[in-house]
Amino acid sequence: MHARERYISAPGKSILHGEHAVVHGKVALAVSLNLRTYLRLQATSAGKVCVNLPNIDTFLSWDITALKSLLSGWKADCSSSELDSNLVKRLREFMAITDGSTDTRSMAVLAFLYIYLSVFADAEVLPSLSVCVWSELPTGAGLGSSAAFSVCLSAALLSARGTISTPLIQQQNTARWSDAELELINKWAFQGEKIIHGNPSGVDNAVSTWGGVLRYHAGMITPLSRVPTLRILLTNTKVPRSTKVLVSGVKDKINKYPSVMTPVLDSVDAVSQACEQTLADMATEGASTKHYNILEDLIDINQHHLNVMGVGHSSLDTLCRVTLAHGLHSKLTGAGGGGCGITLLRPETEPSVVQAAVQELKEAGFECWETSLGGPGVLLHSSNSITQDTLSILTSY
Amino acid sequence: MHARERYISAPGKSILHGEHAVVHGKVALAVSLNLRTYLRLQATSAGKVCVNLPNIDTFLSWDITALKSLLSGWKADCSSSELDSNLVKRLREFMAITDGSTDTRSMAVLAFLYIYLSVFADAEVLPSLSVCVWSELPTGAGLGSSAAFSVCLSAALLSARGTISTPLIQQQNTARWSDAELELINKWAFQGEKIIHGNPSGVDNAVSTWGGVLRYHAGMITPLSRVPTLRILLTNTKVPRSTKVLVSGVKDKINKYPSVMTPVLDSVDAVSQACEQTLADMATEGASTKHYNILEDLIDINQHHLNVMGVGHSSLDTLCRVTLAHGLHSKLTGAGGGGCGITLLRPETEPSVVQAAVQELKEAGFECWETSLGGPGVLLHSSNSITQDTLSILTSY
């Protein structure tokens, strides 16, 4: 252990364009969402490992000796990109998780223990520590809360182990890791995602690790080199939906009307590519009204296309209508059928305009956050770079 | 003159699919709208020609001798498909229409006099007659009211001249003309449309003449052989719009986002073709729930595409939202940006459902008609096949 205490944060993710179309071989743009998950790791001398996850009312601790016994006769294979099924099996038994259960709390703790044991497997001793993770992200809303959780865990445990550095120097508020270290954080975060989700695409943990915008196409994830930060309003309609049912509905519609739907997917692909180009132009030329006009056009067009695919919802229509009445453009993000939507705010959009829109959206029963897209990925923090509210939650367990 | 009195009607038109896309070489389906224009022609011995157009408060009459003088030294060229510019010039002078004026009333009367003089130019005498035309169609709403007017005039005057037959036999309520006669009616109606509109496509008069559904593609007009009649609700949002501005806006958007917009036009083309196929299937197999489900899907998809083209309007969104709340599917028809929308009604849609939707649409400030698409084109009527209300209007002038 190199420090008694460390603070780490990682962002959520939003899909800017290309949701659903990506399943059919088209480009999608995933972007970091600056609603962050915060982690505090504290080295202790209690001979225990404590995990506190206040968002999901989970507070657990184990004796180091009990955890040590899980490693007997087991050899970590860090070269493999696959989950170690033997370790997962031991952990499920240890935690008494019934076969087939994928309960959120159990999976979150399983992910923690898996990464903890894997990272420290070849250490001389298993360290005694306490971890508290708290998130601004709503869970299960398609905003990558599990990936942000896994990325924070991965960065904290790798850094505690000394596998990656602790780059924060005195007087610095935040620090990032090197590309090679980020690769390692992402790799272990992906293991966490696999435990929580079964068969994740790897996009969520990559966005949470690198931040900015990632292009996702045919299984390949490519970070865009330079992107602007976009001010947005994120709205959760709180209408529950099944991603699986929505994805299968789109597939059915493509099969039913191939000549109608195939060009729609092509148009969505072109929207993603036009957006990518515009973001690159904004980064090199400086953002202007012209760029925001294009971004708004693309948002409107894609929202209509998503409606054509059948993944719209009256709650999302309400979001679009209410925000448009204030001159703001919105689209669903992610699976659709309810869930979340994003509303682009221009740099010059007056706070009073945003407040008025938020007021109406709250009256419609929605939850709103004024935040941004495209911000940094995983960060190491000094305690004074974390808001007092967040700090008091992280230090109260 | 073969009869002292004759009654004729012709339908309006609606665009089922392909508005705007047709400008860019895609298929459009134009369909007869069973809001009809009615004409009564009465042979008189007053030595006068009277025209009564109560919809536009126009009541005029001329001495036969004055009209006769317009023909001196002029030779009708019925072989040409072009307007006779010499006759148009004489008529504009006769009616004292200022240069460049395209005032609706003047153009309607000009169209009447043009067809009257052309059709009777080589007759021994110009007949003394009185014509009254009254329409269920709102004017200037993109529903082909001028074409229905021209078709009624053309059929009435050609039939009065004896150029085409008067096919109604005793005990019959309505009768149609032969294909060759319809060709002639359409040809002269097109001249009327040219006078009223300057540069019409010829689709409106063709739909009003033939009825049913016409496929319009790259300047070619093809009637579909067998089509079902579709029950609809027609809604006029009464939001004024400029077709020219809307058409040019779509062109600008295609130029700005070619890779995004080109596939959208392809998808609209596929929608029109899928609709054409479904209508053919309904005519041969008999209409079923399956067919109506497809028609509804295509309506929804095209409405989203029209929004992508930028020709939607919040009033049309209201139409779609209100009708969908009653399980009914709507799209704009024609230019968009306000104007009219059509709502498909299934054969089994309860009158109470339609009434409830109409009530809400009226409360939103709209005007609604429950009518049908795909009905007959120009018809010759016995007086007892015309409703008492219409008859009393036609006979009161």
Side-chain angles (χ1 to χ4, degrees):
Chain A
M1 298 288 287
H2 297 256
R4 288 210 54 76
E5 179 181 71
R6 66 199 71 213
Y7 291 94
I8 286 161
S9 79
K13 80 102 206 320
S14 173
I15 301 292
L16 203 44
H17 289 295
E19 50 271 272
H20 287 288
V22 72
V23 177
H24 304 277
K26 306 302 177 188
V27 170
L29 299 179
V31 59
S32 64
L33 173 70
N34 208 25
L35 295 179
R36 301 181 76 88
T37 295
Y38 290 88
L39 176 149
R40 176 180 182 243
L41 182 147
Q42 200 185 6
T44 65
S45 50
K48 283 182 180 294
V49 168
C50 305
V51 172
N52 299 304
L53 311 175
N55 296 87
I56 54 173
D57 280 326
T58 298
F59 309 95
L60 293 170
S61 75
W62 306 271
D63 282 336
I64 291 290
T65 47
L67 296 175
K68 187 82 189 166
S69 69
L70 284 166
L71 294 177
S72 82
W74 178 77
K75 177 97 187 71
D77 177 11
C78 294
S79 65
S80 170
S81 62
E82 297 296 310
L83 266 188
D84 187 310
S85 58
N86 184 268
L87 182 57
V88 172
K89 188 164 172 284
R90 284 179 189 215
L91 285 169
R92 289 186 80 105
E93 281 169 13
F94 175 70
M95 292 173 62
I97 303 170
T98 41
D99 282 356
S101 168
T102 56
D103 150 65
T104 306
R105 295 176 188 189
S106 305
M107 292 307 108
V109 174
L110 187 60
F112 167 79
L113 285 178
Y114 182 92
I115 301 175
Y116 171 82
L117 289 175
S118 301
V119 164
F120 288 100
D122 58 353
E124 282 177 29
V125 290
L126 284 183
S128 178
L129 51 81
S130 178
V131 162
C132 180
V133 187
W134 180 80
S135 186
E136 296 169 343
L137 289 160
T139 52
L143 299 174
S145 63
S146 68
F149 171 76
S150 294
V151 168
C152 282
L153 283 184
S154 167
L157 295 168
L158 287 169
S159 148
R161 172 75 178 94
T163 312
I164 63 173
S165 66
T166 302
L168 203 65
I169 53 173
Q170 271 188 332
Q171 312 298 331
Q172 221 180 353
N173 281 327
T174 60
R176 300 217 59 187
W177 280 276
S178 71
D179 278 351
E181 289 170 323
L182 291 173
E183 290 280 3
L184 211 55
I185 292 169
N186 186 50
K187 181 189 148 186
W188 283 102
F190 192 31
Q191 304 299 333
E193 276 284 86
K194 282 182 190 164
I195 288 170
I196 299 170
H197 281 303
N199 188 24
S201 67
V203 169
D204 289 13
N205 47 283
V207 170
S208 190
T209 302
W210 272 279
V213 180
L214 299 186
R215 180 186 222 268
Y216 183 56
H217 182 217
M220 287 273 293
I221 298 170
T222 320
L224 305 196
S225 53
R226 289 182 63 196
V227 288
T229 303
L230 300 174
R231 200 182 151 203
I232 64 147
L233 192 67
L234 178 86
T235 299
N236 188 353
T237 65
K238 297 194 270 183
V239 173
R241 74 272 181 271
S242 155
T243 301
K244 202 171 155 186
V245 169
L246 289 159
V247 167
S248 129
V250 173
K251 198 175 169 189
D252 291 348
K253 204 157 182 185
I254 295 169
N255 288 336
K256 187 169 184 186
Y257 304 113
S259 60
V260 172
M261 296 305 294
T262 305
V264 173
L265 296 175
D266 290 342
S267 183
V268 171
D269 197 56
V271 164
S272 292
Q273 297 193 43
C275 182
E276 183 179 336
Q277 184 59 54
T278 305
L279 294 176
D281 292 347
M282 288 169 90
T284 51
E285 299 165 12
S288 72
T289 300
K290 180 189 75 174
H291 297 127
Y292 277 96
N293 291 343
I294 295 174
L295 291 182
E296 287 179 351
D297 283 348
L298 298 175
I299 283 172
D300 291 344
I301 291 171
N302 201 357
Q303 176 63 15
H304 291 305
H305 286 348
L306 287 159
N307 274 312
V308 167
M309 291 184 218
V311 299
H313 188 270
S314 60
S315 62
L316 295 163
D317 294 343
T318 301
L319 167 64
C320 292
R321 190 172 66 254
V322 166
T323 53
L324 192 63
H326 295 279
L328 306 172
H329 298 252
S330 306
K331 70 178 276 288
L332 67 85
T333 181
C340 291
I342 50 176
T343 305
L344 184 66
L345 304 177
R346 292 177 177 239
E348 69 273 18
T349 304
E350 295 288 347
S352 61
V353 170
V354 182
Q355 279 158 23
V358 166
Q359 184 57 34
E360 286 180 50
L361 294 171
K362 284 184 175 169
E363 282 163 14
F366 305 157
E367 200 171 2
C368 298
W369 295 264
E370 194 178 336
T371 180
S372 64
L373 298 179
V378 62
L379 289 177
L380 187 63
H381 290 261
S382 69
S383 61
N384 56 20
S385 70
I386 293 176
T387 64
Q388 206 51 53
D389 284 356
T390 303
L391 206 58
S392 74
I393 294 169
L394 291 174
T395 54
S396 64
Y397 300 99
Chain B
M1 297 289 286
H2 298 254
R4 287 212 54 77
E5 180 182 69
R6 68 198 71 213
Y7 291 93
I8 287 161
S9 78
K13 80 104 207 318
S14 173
I15 302 293
L16 202 45
H17 288 295
E19 49 272 273
H20 288 288
V22 72
V23 178
H24 304 277
K26 307 302 177 187
V27 170
L29 298 181
V31 60
S32 64
L33 173 69
N34 208 24
L35 295 179
R36 302 181 76 88
T37 295
Y38 290 88
L39 176 148
R40 175 181 183 241
L41 183 146
Q42 200 185 6
T44 64
S45 50
K48 283 183 180 296
V49 168
C50 304
V51 172
N52 299 303
L53 311 175
N55 297 87
I56 53 173
D57 279 326
T58 298
F59 310 94
L60 293 171
S61 74
W62 305 271
D63 281 336
I64 291 290
T65 47
L67 296 175
K68 188 83 190 166
S69 70
L70 284 166
L71 294 177
S72 82
W74 178 79
K75 178 96 188 69
D77 176 12
C78 293
S79 65
S80 170
S81 64
E82 297 297 310
L83 266 188
D84 187 309
S85 58
N86 183 269
L87 181 57
V88 172
K89 187 165 171 285
R90 284 178 188 215
L91 284 170
R92 289 186 80 106
E93 281 168 14
F94 175 71
M95 291 174 62
I97 302 170
T98 41
D99 282 357
S101 168
T102 56
D103 151 65
T104 306
R105 295 176 187 189
S106 305
M107 293 308 106
V109 175
L110 188 59
F112 167 79
L113 285 177
Y114 183 92
I115 300 174
Y116 170 82
L117 289 175
S118 301
V119 163
F120 288 101
D122 58 354
E124 281 175 33
V125 290
L126 284 183
S128 178
L129 50 81
S130 179
V131 161
C132 181
V133 186
W134 181 80
S135 186
E136 296 169 343
L137 289 160
T139 53
L143 300 174
S145 63
S146 68
F149 171 75
S150 295
V151 168
C152 282
L153 283 184
S154 168
L157 295 168
L158 287 168
S159 147
R161 173 75 179 94
T163 313
I164 62 172
S165 66
T166 301
L168 203 64
I169 53 173
Q170 269 189 333
Q171 311 299 332
Q172 220 179 353
N173 281 328
T174 60
R176 301 216 59 187
W177 282 275
S178 70
D179 278 351
E181 289 170 324
L182 290 174
E183 289 281 1
L184 211 55
I185 293 169
N186 186 51
K187 181 189 146 184
W188 283 101
F190 192 32
Q191 304 299 332
E193 276 284 86
K194 282 181 191 164
I195 288 170
I196 298 170
H197 281 303
N199 189 24
S201 67
V203 170
D204 289 13
N205 47 283
V207 170
S208 191
T209 302
W210 272 278
V213 180
L214 298 186
R215 180 185 222 267
Y216 183 56
H217 183 217
M220 286 273 293
I221 298 170
T222 321
L224 305 196
S225 53
R226 288 182 66 195
V227 288
T229 303
L230 300 174
R231 199 182 153 203
I232 64 147
L233 191 68
L234 178 86
T235 299
N236 188 353
T237 65
K238 296 195 271 182
V239 173
R241 74 271 180 273
S242 156
T243 301
K244 203 171 153 185
V245 169
L246 289 161
V247 167
S248 131
V250 173
K251 199 175 169 188
D252 291 348
K253 203 156 183 186
I254 295 170
N255 287 336
K256 189 169 181 185
Y257 305 111
S259 60
V260 172
M261 296 305 294
T262 304
V264 173
L265 296 176
D266 290 342
S267 183
V268 172
D269 198 56
V271 164
S272 293
Q273 298 193 44
C275 182
E276 183 180 335
Q277 184 59 54
T278 306
L279 294 175
D281 292 347
M282 288 169 89
T284 51
E285 299 165 11
S288 72
T289 300
K290 179 189 77 174
H291 298 128
Y292 277 96
N293 290 343
I294 295 174
L295 292 181
E296 287 180 349
D297 282 349
L298 297 175
I299 283 172
D300 290 344
I301 291 171
N302 201 358
Q303 176 63 15
H304 292 305
H305 286 348
L306 287 159
N307 274 311
V308 167
M309 292 184 217
V311 299
H313 188 271
S314 58
S315 62
L316 295 164
D317 294 342
T318 301
L319 167 64
C320 293
R321 191 172 65 255
V322 166
T323 53
L324 193 62
H326 296 278
L328 306 172
H329 298 252
S330 306
K331 70 178 277 288
L332 68 85
T333 179
C340 291
I342 49 176
T343 304
L344 184 66
L345 305 178
R346 293 177 177 237
E348 70 273 18
T349 305
E350 294 287 347
S352 62
V353 169
V354 181
Q355 279 159 23
V358 167
Q359 183 58 33
E360 286 181 50
L361 293 170
K362 284 185 174 167
E363 282 163 14
F366 305 158
E367 201 170 0
C368 298
W369 294 264
E370 194 178 338
T371 179
S372 64
L373 299 179
V378 63
L379 290 177
L380 187 63
H381 289 262
S382 69
S383 62
N384 55 20
S385 70
I386 294 175
T387 64
Q388 205 51 52
D389 285 355
T390 303
L391 206 58
S392 74
I393 295 168
L394 292 175
T395 53
S396 64
Y397 300 98

